[in-house]
Structures are given as C-alpha cells and as structure tokens.
Amino acid sequence: MEELQSALRDRGLAVSYVPEKGRCLVTTNDFYPGEVIISQEPYVCVPNNSATESRCDGCFASGNLKKCSACQVVWYCGSTCQKSEWKLHRLECDALSKLDKDRQKSVTPSIRLMVKLYLRRKLQSEKTISATATDNYNLVEELVSHMKDIDEKQLVLYAQMANLVSLILQWPDINIKEIAENFSKLACNAHTICDSELRPLGTGLYPVVSIINHSCLPNAVLVFEGRLAVVRALQHMPKGAEVLISYIETAGSTMTRQKSLRQQYFFTCACPRCIKMGQQDDIRESAILEGYRCKDNICNGFLLRDSNDKGFVCQECGLIRSKEEVKKIAAEIRETSDKASKSLSSGNLKECISMHKMIEKLQQKLFHPFSISLMQTREKLLKMLMELNDWRAALSYCKLTIPVYQRVYQEFHPLLGLQYYTSGKLEWLGCLGTRRMLSNH
C-alpha cells in the first residue's frame, strides 16, 4: 500500500478509507473539467469476440485479422500486436491448443480473461513481466468480491467456470475456490472498454481505477483511449475531494438506478441524487423520465397515481387518465415492438424503421416528452436511418434526443458531447449529399 500511495502522490491522489464505503480515491491537488485525474493500462483485457465478430487481441481493431495458427482462438491485426502480446499469449496459446474443438467453444471472453489473469500473475512472479506499484496482482487481491451476497445459482456458475479455467491451465496446485472468487471480483470490478463513440469493444480489469467509488452525480468520468482507461474531471475538484464515477447508466429514476446497483454491485447508493428519493423533486423527475403524459397535448404536466389507484392524475391541470387507456396503449407498444424485432432479425431494415415510427407515435401519446423510453426509440431510429445513409431524417431524430440528454447528463458528460458531435456530423453529411445532388444536375 505504501508503494501505491507513493505512486499516486505524484499524480495528486491518495487512497483513503470511508467506514461505510471502504477504500476510495481522493485528490491531493485541484483538478478542473476535462483534466486527466488518472490513467491506467489494463492488468488483463480481452476483446468481445463472438461467432459473428472478432477483434485483435492487441488493439481491438476489427479489420485485416488473422487467427493464431496454433490455438485457433485468438486474432491479431498484424505482427506488431502479436509481438506485444506474445509473452502472455505464448502460455495461453499452449494451454488453449491442448483443448479439443468442443471445449474450445466454451472458452468465452470471461474465461479467457480469468486464464490471462493467472498467467500474468505467474509471469510477474517469475519476473518475466515486470510489476509496478500500480500494476501487480496484490492490487487484484485487494478488490472486493461480494461472495457472501451472491445467490446459490450464481455461485454454482462461478464454480463451473472455475473448473474450466483449471482444466485449461492444468496446474496441480491451483485453487478452484480462489478462481470462483476472482470471477465474482471481475463481475463487480471489471470495466467495459469502449471506442470513441462509446461502443463496447471488450472487457478490462483496472485495479487502481476500481478503487474509485460510485455516485449517480459523479464528478469524474471513465473513458478509453484504445485500451488505456482514462478518468477525467467533470467539474472542479478541490484538494481533498473524493473521486467519483458512475458504475451504471444514470439516465433513469432513483428507483431504477438503485435496483441496478443492488443487483450488480450489492450496495445502496447514498449520493446527493439518491438521498432525495421520495421527496417531491425526485417523485416529479421520476414521473417525467419513466411515467406518463397528460391527456391534454398542450399540457406538459406529469402524472401520478390517484388515491384510489384507478388512474393517473396530471399534477399540472388535474386531468385523470384511466388505467385501462394506459394499459391499452402499452399493449399496442409491446405488440408493435415484437413485430419490429422480427423485422430486424429478418434483415428488413425499412420495415423495422416503419415499425419504430409507429412505436414512437404510440409513445408520444403515452409518455412524457422527456421520457427515457421515447428517447431510446428515437435513438434506434437514428441508428437505423444512419445505416441507410438517410442523413436528414437521422438528423431530425438526433435533434429530438438532445433536450433529453441535456436533462439527464451533466454539462461535460461524454454522452452529451457525443450527441452534439453526431448532430454536427449529420449536418455535414446532409449538406454534402445536397451538394452532390446539385452537381449531378
């Protein structure tokens, strides 16, 4: 710990302890919006390879890939990435090559991540790979596993996965119980590695970044530059401030956020947003983001259940909306959504767009204009229209999402910035398309 504290001191940081939270990261210098607080390479990471898509193990690129000729599991984009990964992959390759074809199919990214974790520990203990104060297995051992909070079904799954890791490594003294516990640690502490447009590419374990605690109103954000995890300040952070990021999607009601945190991370958040749960402002915001709209299209009021639980009352104008009407429109949305899913799975993009436009109209009747569900439908339409190169239509949907983004995300949040970027990009593509049409005439 002293070595870690010394390394962090040079970066204007320190590890501290909070009784109800455990370890946390605090600032010993001032940080300002956009500044890098800390960055870290992964202790181990894997790309999200699947039957339909593969990525390079070194840089996560998806083009010009070649499969490792020996193990037939891992992909590389070229010799540079292959060489950079060779010390670790040499051992992994040898282990994977001994598996039969059926067993190889069971080697998911999660299994590979655990295999690489143990191989890296071995190489560092043998000093084949160097260890530093911010890059060593001791930091992994310090991570919380929450084993006592996991249900029996999940424990059985971790035990099965641990047995497979043991079978792959073939080490006589390996501890199955420890591997199962490490799977639980990964579930609570690993991060999804995303590209510049926040699309998931893989999973990485960053033990120092994992010390950072959660808040639904964070003062920092985790982004990625390649595989490098970078934590940047969202606001001015004075000396002595705790660094806080969000573990979950923060665009939602307090109840939704709390449920997500309990299910995945086993704690109840007590951040400035969450302690307001049940207060008037929180009730209002939850009803706007996840509730229904007033029957009067001119009124932008939000609805709450009436005292008799027979309907929903507009808190602005007093109009009542019956439960039967709400159920009817909700059923139509579900039915149309099922049809849209079938259209998408059959590859009929134009029909799927048409279905989602119908869903949007129904949601406009049912949900508040700032509804998360309505925003998500418009997000889907935006992406599908971009696939068809219909830039102008895509732009119109992008502009509709921005007011909701401004409401649910902080001023310097990357998701809000990305939406502004997408809007500008679509404006440019639309103008470019118009110029081409004019030149053809």
Side-chain angles (χ1 to χ4, degrees):
M1 178 58 79
E2 285 181 17
E3 288 182 358
L4 178 60
Q5 291 283 32
S6 178
L8 291 175
R9 197 177 301 122
D10 296 337
R11 306 185 193 194
L13 297 165
V15 177
S16 187
Y17 289 85
V18 178
E20 63 273 17
K21 289 183 178 182
R23 293 188 304 167
C24 64
L25 206 62
V26 296
T27 62
T28 55
N29 290 339
D30 280 43
F31 288 91
Y32 294 89
E35 283 190 340
V36 174
I37 298 167
I38 190 169
S39 61
Q40 187 181 24
E41 290 286 351
Y43 187 75
V44 283
C45 67
V46 287
N48 289 341
N49 288 348
S50 65
T52 56
E53 186 179 36
S54 298
R55 292 187 178 277
C56 171
D57 232 60
C59 66
F60 289 12
S62 58
N64 302 314
L65 300 181
K66 288 185 179 179
K67 193 181 277 188
C68 174
S69 57
C71 69
Q72 295 289 305
V73 173
V74 179
W75 296 81
Y76 293 106
C77 66
S79 59
T80 303
C81 282
Q82 191 171 18
K83 285 175 184 174
S84 70
E85 295 292 304
W86 179 241
K87 283 183 181 178
L88 198 150
H89 182 61
R90 179 176 61 83
L91 300 182
E92 183 193 24
C93 187
D94 183 52
L96 294 176
S97 299
K98 293 172 183 173
L99 299 176
D100 58 44
K101 296 273 184 180
D102 288 336
R103 191 72 75 182
Q104 276 193 1
K105 290 176 183 175
S106 303
V107 182
T108 61
S110 295
I111 297 294
R112 277 200 65 214
L113 195 66
M114 187 61 67
V115 169
K116 291 176 81 170
L117 181 76
Y118 277 87
L119 291 174
R120 187 170 177 84
R121 182 183 75 172
K122 173 183 168 65
L123 290 168
Q124 284 189 330
S125 66
E126 294 171 350
K127 296 185 168 48
T128 306
I129 293 177
S130 61
T132 68
T134 58
D135 179 26
N136 63 78
Y137 188 76
N138 291 337
L139 296 171
V140 179
E141 289 185 314
E142 290 290 322
L143 297 174
V144 178
S145 67
H146 290 288
M147 285 291 277
K148 68 180 188 304
D149 301 310
I150 296 166
D151 61 39
E152 190 176 341
K153 186 179 177 182
Q154 192 64 44
L155 285 171
V156 170
L157 178 60
Y158 286 156
Q160 291 170 341
M161 293 166 75
N163 275 311
L164 179 53
V165 170
S166 176
L167 181 72
I168 293 167
L169 291 174
Q170 293 289 306
W171 294 351
D173 58 344
I174 199 158
N175 187 327
I176 300 289
K177 187 178 177 182
E178 181 195 71
I179 301 172
E181 187 171 348
N182 276 336
F183 270 117
S184 187
K185 285 182 180 180
L186 290 180
C188 300
N189 293 282
H191 290 93
T192 301
I193 300 169
C194 299
D195 65 9
S196 60
E197 295 189 16
L198 304 182
R199 293 172 296 208
L201 303 178
T203 305
L205 182 64
Y206 302 85
V208 179
V209 172
S210 293
I211 296 171
I212 300 172
N213 284 321
H214 164 86
S215 172
C216 298
L217 195 65
N219 54 19
V221 66
L222 173 62
V223 292
F224 293 89
E225 296 173 7
R227 300 185 339 181
L228 182 72
V230 181
V231 179
R232 291 183 181 272
L234 284 173
Q235 61 194 51
H236 172 230
M237 296 164 63
K239 181 179 176 180
E242 182 183 356
V243 182
L244 297 162
I245 61 173
S246 177
Y247 295 176
I248 57 165
E249 169 59 76
T250 55
S253 69
T254 303
M255 193 176 292
T256 298
R257 297 193 314 274
Q258 291 278 21
K259 182 182 177 183
S260 179
L261 289 166
R262 279 194 300 271
Q263 286 178 343
Q264 188 170 353
Y265 299 102
F266 308 102
F267 71 87
T268 299
C269 183
C271 75
R273 282 181 76 185
C274 288
I275 58 171
K276 292 181 180 178
M277 188 159 79
Q279 295 179 14
Q280 191 58 37
D281 285 352
D282 181 68
I283 292 169
R284 180 179 184 275
E285 191 63 12
S286 297
I288 287 170
L289 296 178
E290 296 179 4
Y292 307 122
R293 69 165 301 143
C294 182
K295 283 175 69 173
D296 185 349
N297 288 331
I298 300 171
C299 178
N300 272 337
F302 64 98
L303 275 59
L304 295 178
R305 288 180 185 272
D306 68 2
S307 55
N308 299 319
D309 197 25
K310 291 182 179 179
F312 302 87
V313 183
C314 177
Q315 302 302 295
E316 294 290 328
C317 67
L319 272 176
I320 297 175
R321 195 160 199 181
S322 70
K323 286 175 74 173
E324 287 70 27
E325 183 188 2
V326 168
K327 283 181 181 178
K328 182 174 180 290
I329 300 173
E332 287 181 67
I333 290 170
R334 284 194 300 273
E335 187 181 333
T336 313
S337 295
D338 290 341
K339 290 178 183 176
S341 297
K342 288 174 185 174
S343 298
L344 188 61
S345 59
S346 65
N348 192 336
L349 198 57
K350 287 187 177 179
E351 186 179 288
C352 191
I353 289 170
S354 177
M355 292 287 179
H356 275 87
K357 285 181 177 178
M358 288 169 64
I359 294 166
E360 183 199 17
K361 284 183 180 177
L362 288 166
Q363 287 179 330
Q364 283 178 294
K365 287 182 185 177
L366 185 61
F367 298 131
H368 193 277
F370 285 102
S371 158
I372 298 294
S373 295
L374 179 57
M375 182 196 75
Q376 288 168 344
T377 298
R378 286 167 171 167
E379 278 280 349
K380 288 176 185 175
L381 281 163
L382 161 62
K383 287 170 184 174
M384 288 188 286
L385 288 162
M386 285 180 74
E387 281 188 52
L388 293 180
N389 295 345
D390 190 344
W391 312 124
R392 289 194 176 281
L395 176 62
S396 67
Y397 280 105
C398 187
K399 286 181 175 178
L400 287 171
T401 66
I402 285 175
V404 189
Y405 272 72
Q406 289 170 330
R407 187 182 190 102
V408 297
Y409 297 116
Q410 291 160 271
E411 185 182 2
F412 294 105
H413 198 286
L415 280 170
L416 177 57
L418 183 59
Q419 210 66 356
Y420 287 140
Y421 164 77
T422 303
S423 179
K425 181 179 172 182
L426 289 168
E427 289 270 14
W428 180 77
L429 288 167
C431 290
L432 192 65
T434 302
R435 284 200 295 270
R436 281 175 180 166
M437 286 174 62
L438 291 171
S439 63
N440 288 336
H441 288 290

